[in-house]
Amino acid sequence: MAIPRLNRAEPAVDRVPFLKILEGHQAGLILVLEGEELTLGRDPACDIVIDEIGVSRFHCSVRRSGNGWEVADLNSTNGTYVNDKRIARSDLIEEDTLILGPECSLRFDRQPAEEVELARRLFEGARLDGLTRVFNRVTFFERLAQEISYSQRQHSTFGLLLFDIDHFKKINDSYGHPGGDAVLRQVAARARAMLRLEDTLGRYGGEEFAILLRNSGLSACLRVAERLRAEIADRPFEMEGQEPVTVTASIGVATWRAEVTQDGLVAQADEQLYAAKQAGRNRVMPRSE
């Protein structure tokens, strides 16, 4: 027997309202609805940033309405749909599907707070590296495949940066694994802080990280790579109970072209990372376009 759906006029006691992204590169992400009104779209100024094909800069808003929530379109290019019906404004009922573009749909629901938190933690545990809280290797390669698909559709390019911490074994030997872990967390935080919302940062393995730079040619990638190299080398890293330690990184850069496969692009960036190591470390090595 079908479970009755809650009407928006019926208060959901002790149940947290949220949106769950159903498809796209953020599929599975839980977005708890807090405050009176939230805007959704690609623009960084939105309360909920959704960087997907077909989503407008300011696509729609979700706001409280009595005891429930409603969605309103913000003159988006491709329209806002609730359960396949295009709307200007619509009440949201539990299990409604909100569609913002050809590759983005979300489910509105309410659940007890502890269940929402569990779902959020499961999502993060499956997609994020436990130490650095950036994407893990599996998720990064999912994003790489999506970036290639995006660039093929848009006839654009993107960059891949592979970088690792120079002489990382010496850091572990000198300061122990807690010291090494502290460096890894801080490197990830510094890299994440300098990237755009549409870029992707992942832990490739061990002391090695990877970055995808959307809509970026070689010159733009080299500027980011050099900024990252300097950000790591020029500011010492803090360790509990230890003097700050200076760390450097080597970076390999490659840009995607239509004839390059995913494995081929990774191999190109990896070759440049190896070349940077061989050339003396603490440097950026590009693959010419």
Side-chain angles (χ1 to χ4, degrees):
M1 183 177 70
I3 299 174
R5 301 169 72 197
L6 287 179
N7 185 278
R8 60 173 289 273
E10 301 175 14
V13 179
D14 296 326
R15 294 167 73 87
V16 175
F18 65 92
L19 293 170
K20 180 179 180 179
I21 299 181
L22 301 179
E23 60 181 330
H25 69 262
Q26 294 175 292
L29 180 62
I30 301 292
L31 305 165
V32 175
L33 300 179
E34 299 177 309
E36 294 300 314
E37 182 172 3
L38 302 165
T39 55
L40 287 72
R42 288 188 297 105
D43 196 282
C46 288
D47 298 298
I48 297 176
V49 179
I50 300 179
D51 182 31
E52 297 287 357
I53 297 296
V55 176
S56 295
R57 292 179 59 246
F58 294 91
H59 197 105
C60 66
S61 68
V62 177
R63 56 179 174 251
R64 292 185 188 274
S65 176
N67 291 322
W69 290 78
E70 66 179 20
V71 58
D73 185 70
L74 298 177
N75 297 315
S76 63
T77 301
N78 293 314
T80 299
Y81 293 76
V82 175
N83 301 328
D84 296 325
K85 180 181 179 181
R86 187 164 184 166
I87 57 93
R89 189 207 65 81
S90 175
D91 294 335
L92 287 173
I93 301 173
E94 289 185 20
E95 299 186 4
D96 274 346
T97 299
L98 182 62
I99 302 171
L100 306 189
E103 298 182 12
C104 180
S105 61
L106 308 92
R107 177 71 49 80
F108 173 78
D109 207 347
R110 287 187 178 98
Q111 295 292 338
E114 60 271 18
E115 293 186 16
V116 174
E117 178 63 16
L118 176 60
R120 187 187 66 79
R121 290 180 180 273
L122 288 173
F123 170 81
E124 290 187 355
R127 297 175 66 85
L128 300 183
D129 174 62
L131 176 65
T132 61
R133 310 309 292 167
V134 301
F135 285 131
N136 59 29
R137 183 185 177 97
V138 171
T139 305
F140 182 83
F141 273 95
E142 290 176 358
R143 292 295 302 272
L144 175 55
Q146 292 165 353
E147 200 63 42
I148 289 175
S149 178
Y150 173 89
S151 295
Q152 288 172 333
R153 292 193 303 269
Q154 299 298 310
H155 305 289
S156 60
T157 189
F158 67 93
L160 171 62
L161 278 56
L162 289 183
F163 69 97
D164 75 4
I165 301 167
D166 296 327
H167 302 298
F168 187 70
K169 185 177 183 301
K170 290 184 179 179
I171 297 173
N172 277 334
D173 290 344
S174 300
Y175 301 97
H177 288 288
D181 289 349
V183 169
L184 289 172
R185 285 193 295 266
Q186 291 174 67
V187 165
R190 292 186 191 185
R192 184 169 48 225
M194 61 182 293
L195 297 178
R196 304 167 300 176
L197 286 169
E198 62 266 34
D199 299 328
T200 299
L201 170 64
R203 188 177 178 188
Y204 194 74
E207 68 272 23
E208 193 169 356
F209 294 85
I211 293 174
L212 300 177
L213 298 175
R214 175 170 288 186
N215 291 327
S216 298
L218 184 61
S219 60
C221 291
L222 290 178
R223 287 194 297 270
V224 173
E226 182 54 35
R227 282 178 54 215
L228 175 61
R229 185 205 62 76
E231 177 66 19
I232 293 172
D234 294 349
R235 187 153 53 98
F237 289 78
E238 301 292 332
M239 292 185 184
E240 186 175 356
Q242 304 283 349
E243 291 294 321
V245 60
T246 299
V247 172
T248 63
S250 300
I251 306 175
V253 179
T255 51
W256 179 82
R257 299 180 302 281
E259 69 274 12
V260 178
T261 65
Q262 176 175 305
D263 289 346
L265 179 65
V266 173
Q268 290 174 6
D270 196 50
E271 288 173 3
Q272 299 310 305
L273 173 58
Y274 179 77
K277 294 286 190 184
Q278 293 298 106
R281 297 180 170 82
N282 189 28
R283 65 193 64 220
V284 174
M285 293 294 284
R287 179 179 178 86
S288 60
E289 292 181 318

